Amino acid sequence: MKKILIIDDEEKLRSLMARIIGLEGFEVIEAGDCKSGLKKIEQHAFDVVLCDVKLPDGNGVDLTIAIKEKSPQTEVILLTAYGNIPDGVQAIKNGAFDYIVKGDDNNKIIPLLHRAIEKANLTKRIAQLEAKLEDKLSFDGIIGDSKPLLQSINLAKKVAPTDTTVLLTGETGTGKEVFAAAIHQSSSRKHQNFVAINCSAFSHDLLESEMFGHLAGSFTGATKDKKGLFEEANSGTIFLDEVGEMALDLQAKLLRVIENGEFLKVGESKPTKVDVRIIAATNRDLPKEIESGHFRQDLFYRLSVFQIQLPALRERVTDIEPLAKHFLNFFSLKTNKKIKALSDEFVQLLKLHTWPGNIRELKNVLERSVILETEAILTTDCLPMEIQQLKTANTSGESPLLSAFSLASAEKIHIQKVLNYTNHNKTETAKLLNIALTTLYRKLEEYKIN
C-alpha cells in the first residue's frame, strides 16, 4: 500500500483530505507542522507528501528542500490558499512535483497523486538499477578470494581514491578492464565518464582519430568534426587497453597528455585541454619492448607510477569453482536452461587445466558446456577434449578424483598440464619440467600420454 503524508495545520481540512485519499486505497498519515512532518518522514518511507505552504513553524516551499534531503525518492505536492507565480517557480526549483491552489484545484489532487507515485516508483527503480550497477562495477563484483587476487585488489583499493596513473599488467583474459572499472568506481570521478579503448583494435590513423578526435577535412572521409575519447572522458577516467600495441608517434602524443593535460586533434593547431585520469593495461613485457625500441621509456615511467600485476587463473586455482558457478548461473539464464550445479569431477578437471586464456577461456568453456548439457548438472562429457584428457587412468576401479592422489597419477597430470601449456611442444615441455627429452619420451610411453 502506498503511503501518503499530509502536512497541514488546519485539522478539519487535513482530516477531510485524509479520508478522501484513504478511500482511494492509500495509507495516510497526518502531521500539523514542519517539525512533526519531518519526524514522520524519518519514521516512515512515504511515496508522496502533500504539504501546505503556510505552516505555523515554517514554509512548505522551504520545507521541500529538507524533505528531499531526508528522502530523495519521495515526491512533494505543495498546497496553498493563495497561489503566486514566484512561490510556484521556487517550489519546482526546490524539487516539488507540483504546486496547486486549494479549492480551485481540489479535483486535481487524486490524479496528481497517481502521477506523483508513478514518478516515485520510477525514481526508486532507477536507484535500484544504479545500486546494482555500482555493485557489479565495484571491487565487490570481482569474484574470488585467493591470496594473489586479494593482494591485487588491496593495491587497487589504495590507489583508487587518488588521481595517480595506474598500469595494469598480466596475461590476456585476467580481468584488467574489470579492475580498471572498479578503480574508477571507487574514485572521486565515479559520477563522470569511464571510457575504454583497445589500442590493438584500430589502425594507426583510426586510433589517433578515436583517441584525440579530428577536424572536418583533415583527412579523406572526415566530413565533420569529431570529439576524441580523451575529450569524452574529460573529468572522468580513460582506460587504454593493450597500450603496448600503440605506435611510437602516438605514444609521444599520449605522453604530452599525461604531462600537460593537452593534445592536438588531427588537423588542428590549437591544443585541447582535458582533466583525465589514465589507467593503462598491457599483456606485454614493456621493459623488453623498451629494449627492442618498440616502447618509449619516458612513457613507461609515466604510466607505471603505480603498477598492479594481475594473477593468471592458474595462480588462483581456488577461485576457479566460484567463477565457474557464476558463469553457470549466467549462461543457464541466458540459454533458458535449468542447470543448477557442477559435478565434482567437472570442477576437478577445471582445476587441473592450465588456462592459457585465463578467465575469458573459462567463460567460453562454461558457455559451451551449458549449451551441450542436457541434464540438470554439468558433467565432464561437455568439456573440450583437451580438458577431458586430463582424466587420470582408472585402472584400479577408483574414481578419477581419488586416483589423482597417487604419486604416479599426479606426475602424469602434471606432465599433461605442461604439454597443454606448450601446445605439445616436447622440447619446451622437457625444458620446463627440468628433465631430459629422452626421459620425457619414456614417461609419455609409460603413462600412455598421446
Side-chain angles (χ1 to χ4, degrees):
M1 186 179 291
K2 301 300 180 182
K3 282 189 177 180
I4 311 296
L5 172 64
I6 301 175
I7 306 175
D8 198 317
D9 59 330
E10 296 181 39
E11 187 175 352
K12 289 184 179 179
L13 178 60
R14 188 178 71 232
S15 298
L16 177 61
M17 289 178 60
R19 285 198 299 273
I20 294 171
I21 294 170
L23 290 172
E24 293 292 321
F26 299 117
E27 180 183 348
V28 183
I29 296 176
E30 302 175 41
D33 52 35
C34 296
K35 184 178 179 181
S36 59
L38 288 174
K39 190 172 182 181
K40 297 287 186 186
I41 289 170
E42 291 174 353
Q43 295 169 344
H44 304 273
F46 292 103
D47 296 280
V48 181
V49 174
L50 276 171
C51 183
D52 192 10
V53 170
K54 301 294 182 182
L55 293 166
D57 57 346
N59 182 292
V61 176
D62 298 329
L63 182 63
T64 301
I65 298 174
I67 293 172
K68 283 293 188 178
E69 285 178 353
K70 288 183 179 295
S71 182
Q73 296 169 12
T74 300
E75 296 301 328
V76 181
I77 298 172
L78 291 174
L79 308 171
T80 181
Y82 307 99
N84 63 77
I85 293 173
D87 271 0
V89 171
Q90 190 59 50
I92 301 303
K93 283 183 177 179
N94 289 354
F97 180 76
D98 210 338
Y99 176 93
I100 62 175
V101 179
K102 293 180 183 177
D104 296 344
D105 296 328
N106 284 350
N107 60 330
K108 294 182 180 179
I109 291 177
I110 299 302
L112 198 58
L113 276 176
H114 283 287
R115 292 203 302 272
I117 286 170
E118 285 179 7
K119 186 182 176 186
N121 289 340
L122 180 61
T123 304
K124 288 175 185 176
R125 180 62 178 155
I126 290 171
Q128 290 169 355
L129 291 173
E130 286 178 345
K132 284 183 179 179
L133 184 61
E134 285 189 9
D135 288 343
K136 183 179 179 181
L137 297 178
S138 70
F139 289 109
D140 293 335
I142 299 175
I143 299 169
D145 58 3
S146 62
K147 187 176 179 180
L149 179 66
L150 293 180
Q151 287 174 342
S152 298
I153 290 175
N154 288 335
L155 286 173
K157 283 182 176 179
K158 288 178 180 178
V159 76
T162 72
D163 273 342
T164 301
T165 300
V166 179
L167 178 63
L168 302 174
T169 58
E171 297 176 9
T172 297
T174 49
K176 293 187 280 291
E177 186 167 349
V178 173
F179 262 76
I183 291 171
H184 170 75
Q185 195 62 37
S186 300
S187 73
S188 59
R189 298 172 181 260
K190 68 177 182 178
H191 297 299
Q192 304 300 325
N193 285 344
F194 173 78
V195 178
I197 182 170
N198 188 327
C199 299
S200 66
F202 299 92
S203 64
H204 174 280
D205 292 338
L206 192 54
L207 178 59
E208 183 176 14
S209 174
E210 287 293 316
M211 288 174 62
F212 304 113
H214 63 252
L215 296 184
S218 56
F219 56 87
T220 303
T223 56
K224 59 182 180 179
D225 292 355
K226 178 184 176 180
K227 288 173 68 174
L229 294 181
F230 268 95
E231 205 169 350
E232 294 286 352
N234 192 27
S235 300
T237 304
I238 190 166
F239 173 57
L240 304 175
D241 198 9
E242 304 300 347
V243 72
E245 309 288 335
M246 190 180 291
L248 286 169
D249 60 326
L250 293 185
Q251 292 178 31
K253 291 191 75 168
L254 176 58
L255 183 63
R256 184 177 180 184
V257 178
I258 297 173
E259 291 181 335
N260 304 321
E262 63 181 34
F263 60 88
L264 290 174
K265 293 182 180 180
V266 179
E268 189 174 46
S269 57
K270 182 182 177 182
T272 300
K273 294 283 291 185
V274 288
D275 171 24
V276 177
R277 184 190 192 166
I278 296 173
I279 302 176
T282 183
N283 61 3
R284 288 178 175 264
D285 186 338
L286 290 187
K288 284 187 178 179
E289 294 295 309
I290 292 168
E291 289 178 11
S292 62
H294 295 144
F295 203 82
R296 293 179 62 110
Q297 189 173 43
D298 48 2
L299 178 59
F300 173 70
Y301 289 138
R302 296 295 192 283
L303 291 175
S304 61
V305 174
F306 198 96
Q307 187 170 337
I308 303 173
Q309 174 75 23
L310 302 192
L313 190 55
R314 63 181 172 276
E315 297 169 4
R316 39 182 290 216
V317 176
T318 56
D319 295 336
I320 290 176
E321 186 171 358
L323 280 167
K325 287 179 178 178
H326 168 75
F327 292 134
L328 168 64
N329 294 334
F330 177 80
F331 289 116
S332 294
L333 187 64
K334 186 178 178 181
T335 58
N336 199 28
K337 285 194 170 186
K338 296 180 180 179
I339 304 173
K340 302 296 183 184
L342 314 165
S343 71
D344 290 341
E345 190 177 0
F346 186 96
V347 174
Q348 182 70 5
L349 289 184
L350 292 184
K351 291 181 177 180
L352 292 175
H353 187 47
T354 54
W355 300 108
N358 293 292
I359 300 171
R360 190 177 294 124
E361 183 187 358
L362 176 63
K363 182 180 179 181
N364 293 343
V365 166
L366 263 294
E367 181 175 14
R368 176 186 187 276
S369 298
V370 168
I371 291 170
L372 292 176
E373 187 58 73
T374 57
E375 304 298 328
I377 185 170
L378 283 186
T379 61
T380 57
D381 293 339
C382 297
L383 287 168
M385 192 54 62
E386 66 268 21
I387 299 180
Q388 288 191 43
Q389 287 174 353
L390 297 175
K391 288 183 181 180
T392 56
N394 188 6
T395 56
S396 60
E398 294 177 294
S399 72
L401 293 178
L402 290 174
S403 65
F405 288 102
S406 71
L407 187 59
S409 294
E411 186 175 50
K412 176 183 176 180
I413 291 168
H414 185 61
I415 292 172
Q416 183 69 65
K417 285 171 67 176
V418 179
L419 273 170
N420 290 343
Y421 181 72
T422 61
N423 291 319
H424 293 265
N425 184 320
K426 295 180 180 60
T427 304
E428 184 66 21
T429 299
K431 184 179 177 182
L432 290 174
L433 291 170
N434 199 24
I435 60 176
L437 186 59
T438 52
T439 304
L440 175 62
Y441 275 106
R442 179 174 55 78
K443 290 186 178 292
L444 293 177
E445 185 176 352
E446 178 184 346
Y447 294 133
K448 296 180 172 57
I449 298 174
N450 294 325

